[in-house]
Amino acid sequence: MQAVKDRGLIKISSYIDGQWCNSGTTFDVTNPANGEVVAQVFNAGVDETEIAVLAAKKALVAWSKLSANERAVILRNWFDLMMAHQDDLGRILTLEQGKPLTEAKGEIAYGASFIDWFAEEGKRVYGDTVPAPSSDKRMLLIKQPVGVVASITPWNFPNAMIARKAAAALAAGCTFVVRPSPLTPLSALAMAELAERAGVPAGVFNVVVGEDAVNMGKVLTQHPAVSKFTFTGSTAVGKILMSQTTTTVKKISMELGGNAPFIVFNDADLDAAVQGAVASKYRNTGQTCICTNRILVQQDIAQAFTDKFITAVANLKMGNGFKEGVNLGPMITSQAVDRVHRLVEETIAAGAKLVAGGQRSIEGENFYEPTILTEVTNDMPLASNEIFGPVTPIIMFNTEAEAIEIANDTEYGLAAYFYSRDIGRVWRMAEALEYGVVGINEGLISNAAAPFGGVKHSGNGREGSKYGLDDYMEIKYICMGGLHN
Ligand code: SIN
């Protein structure tokens, strides 16, 4: 932590109702690049989670009554502070998550952009007047904050996934409790410190860090004071959490797993497609929900594309995220490496050909070589599972219809990409792909102005964009009658 200049950003306890709660036992937060203990963090549990929910409930009254402008000033302060501390926040993020420092600082700017976006968007929560069916009535629709929002966020974006949810919730007038992944709690706690400095009142933004995922999750999904639950993580865990929310009929939004196809047609600009595929596949060492999971390439250009792709991937530099020039960091744990390696072995056993990588890297226990397999079919383990690692299976297809069929043959529906310069095909493909987000001739698609979210088993709700606030608001219909004189 020596390189972090503002030592006040290094926090090791939950932030509840404006207080740092230093008590109980601790757990280790380790650097995935070398296994070193980065910090020992107090292990909050069910009791602290309940206290945080009640604090958020108490704070809701005053926060929801502020004007959108008043909330925007505070959110804007938070944005400014995050950007002023981008370097420190990036360093904390690289230490606990592993991604290269440049990418980590990029995540801080990405996370902060949601705060900036929603600070403004909160001022544009318009209602409606609706023509009434009879002349003695008037009908109005207003939007109101849903209430206390509880959330569980993942380790792959320890800052941005919190910012994307919290900014929308706070701008809408809701209060917020987050349980970040215990693998990466320090980024969340640094955000809480900056929220406090920005003037976010006590109880409005609470962070509970602890290892008891099951029981803390039950409080967040079932507590009667929580009105809305939001989660980013795997589809398997999301389904369990969703089912827990039903007893108290919570509003939910779920950003779950993906199996993104990246389709390259024979009319594509091959160099642009290679560049897009590398950017999309190897961002965060393949550990994002919208990372390319399968490349689908048309048969007559398959060899040319694959050769260029192998060369581009060979140029990536793997290592500790603090080293100059590194663009691939470690995976989050050695169990994650084991899982990815198992998928590679099973796919080779099913008939695929390994053309690059295929083993742990000499960089250390949590590093896996960027790996490419050809002669893959869509039923093989690497194509049918979400990989979440630096491994690319390449599938060949002949026709557009076949590409659509393969691309949609998955339970997931988060992001898809395709490269083509045929304008007719571009429209047909964009409409035919059963995904919430489609990148056309573009591998990097995330930003605060865009609605992010999936269909099918990839979840529901949208984060970011002008639609992102709706997930944190209820529409109230007001009918005024008796207007005849
Ligand atoms: C995710 O992996 O869940 C988020 C990716 C993004 O926001 O681009």
Side-chain angles (χ1 to χ4, degrees):
M1 292 279 200
Q2 288 84 339
V4 176
K5 289 194 200 79
D6 184 339
R7 311 297 292 172
L9 294 177
I10 302 166
K11 297 290 180 197
I12 54 162
S13 52
S14 294
Y15 180 72
I16 301 171
D17 203 11
Q19 307 288 323
W20 298 99
C21 311
N22 298 329
S23 65
T25 56
T26 59
F27 65 92
D28 291 345
V29 177
T30 55
N31 180 344
N34 53 23
E36 279 171 20
V37 176
V38 174
Q40 291 179 312
V41 172
F42 287 101
N43 194 9
V46 165
D47 291 349
E48 290 84 353
T49 311
E50 280 175 353
I51 294 168
V53 167
L54 294 176
K57 179 82 185 163
K58 186 169 58 124
L60 181 66
V61 182
W63 183 252
S64 61
K65 287 208 172 97
L66 291 183
S67 70
N69 273 349
E70 288 168 323
R71 287 195 291 264
V73 169
I74 297 172
L75 287 172
R76 181 71 203 187
N77 289 343
W78 197 16
F79 162 79
D80 286 340
L81 285 168
M82 276 181 46
M83 290 311 293
H85 293 85
Q86 185 181 12
D87 190 66
D88 276 350
L89 294 174
R91 285 173 189 280
I92 292 171
L93 205 157
T94 295
L95 270 174
E96 65 178 350
Q97 200 277 342
K99 67 178 68 173
L101 185 56
T102 315
E103 202 175 332
K105 287 201 247 174
E107 179 180 336
I108 302 306
Y110 178 46
S113 75
F114 289 101
I115 300 176
D116 184 35
W117 173 268
F118 282 115
E120 290 306 311
E121 209 56 26
K123 299 174 190 168
R124 290 184 271 276
V125 176
Y126 301 118
D128 272 317
T129 57
V130 180
S134 64
S135 58
D136 66 333
K137 290 191 174 68
R138 297 293 180 271
M139 292 165 54
L140 305 169
L141 312 184
I142 61 168
K143 291 187 182 173
Q144 293 184 304
V146 71
V148 173
V149 175
S151 69
I152 298 180
T153 55
W155 51 262
N156 63 341
F157 287 89
N159 176 295
M161 294 304 101
I162 296 174
R164 184 151 79 185
K165 295 177 192 303
L170 268 54
C174 301
T175 53
F176 193 79
V177 180
V178 59
R179 175 188 179 267
S181 165
L183 295 171
T184 54
L186 303 175
S187 295
L189 296 171
M191 286 175 79
E193 167 66 18
L194 292 180
E196 184 174 274
R197 292 186 199 174
V200 175
V204 170
F205 179 75
N206 305 276
V207 182
V208 266
V209 293
E211 293 191 302
D212 187 357
V214 171
N215 292 309
M216 292 168 85
K218 282 189 181 151
V219 176
L220 296 172
T221 51
Q222 295 179 334
H223 198 292
V226 171
S227 301
K228 150 129 197 173
F229 177 73
T230 169
F231 172 70
T232 296
S234 73
T235 295
V237 174
K239 285 179 182 172
I240 296 169
L241 294 169
M242 264 173 106
S243 70
Q244 288 173 187
T245 62
T246 57
T247 49
T248 44
V249 196
K250 296 200 193 311
K251 196 175 170 83
I252 52 168
S253 50
M254 296 282 178
E255 202 265 272
L256 307 178
N259 181 355
F262 187 103
I263 308 165
V264 188
F265 287 100
N266 57 10
D267 58 77
D269 174 339
L270 274 201
D271 291 320
V274 167
Q275 205 185 355
V278 172
S280 155
K281 174 70 237 185
Y282 291 99
R283 178 176 174 222
N284 201 12
T285 316
Q287 302 171 111
T288 91
C289 304
I290 57 168
C291 273
T292 289
N293 206 61
R294 310 164 273 163
I295 291 182
L296 279 53
V297 58
Q298 201 153 17
Q299 194 173 23
D300 44 347
I301 50 137
Q303 195 57 54
F305 173 84
T306 305
D307 290 346
K308 283 173 184 277
F309 184 68
I310 292 171
T311 306
V313 171
N315 285 333
L316 297 173
K317 193 167 161 207
M318 178 164 263
N320 188 313
F322 283 105
K323 273 198 210 143
E324 200 57 35
V326 159
N327 27 40
L328 285 177
M331 292 182 62
I332 191 69
T333 58
S334 71
Q335 291 90 320
V337 174
D338 289 343
R339 179 186 160 276
V340 161
H341 186 56
R342 207 167 40 246
L343 287 174
V344 169
E345 286 188 322
E346 286 169 3
T347 302
I348 294 169
K353 187 169 153 200
L354 181 71
V355 293
Q359 54 196 336
R360 280 178 195 272
S361 154
I362 48 165
E363 289 295 330
E365 214 198 343
N366 291 357
F367 289 86
Y368 196 74
E369 289 182 345
T371 296
I372 303 168
L373 294 95
T374 56
E375 299 174 30
V376 176
T377 55
N378 208 40
D379 53 353
M380 292 183 185
L382 277 173
S384 54
N385 287 279
E386 183 177 30
I387 301 170
F388 237 67
V391 176
T392 314
I394 300 183
I395 300 172
M396 265 195 314
F397 67 90
N398 286 302
T399 63
E400 187 180 307
E402 198 188 341
I404 294 169
E405 193 187 321
I406 297 171
N408 288 341
D409 181 20
T410 167
E411 67 185 21
Y412 295 107
L414 188 52
Y417 309 83
F418 68 91
Y419 275 64
S420 168
R421 285 178 291 190
D422 174 328
I423 191 73
R425 168 172 283 159
V426 162
W427 278 106
R428 288 192 301 275
M429 288 301 296
E431 288 171 4
L433 288 167
E434 296 165 359
Y435 290 84
V437 182
V438 176
I440 305 171
N441 299 326
E442 179 57 63
L444 295 174
I445 50 183
S446 306
N447 62 70
F452 188 99
V455 298
K456 295 160 75 177
H457 292 218
S458 288
N460 53 37
R462 290 295 178 269
E463 297 189 329
S465 82
K466 67 171 181 170
Y467 302 103
L469 277 182
D470 290 342
D471 275 22
Y472 296 91
M473 310 216 75
E474 297 286 10
I475 295 174
K476 183 179 279 176
Y477 156 50
I478 301 171
C479 181
M480 189 184 287
L483 298 190
H484 282 322
N485 53 24

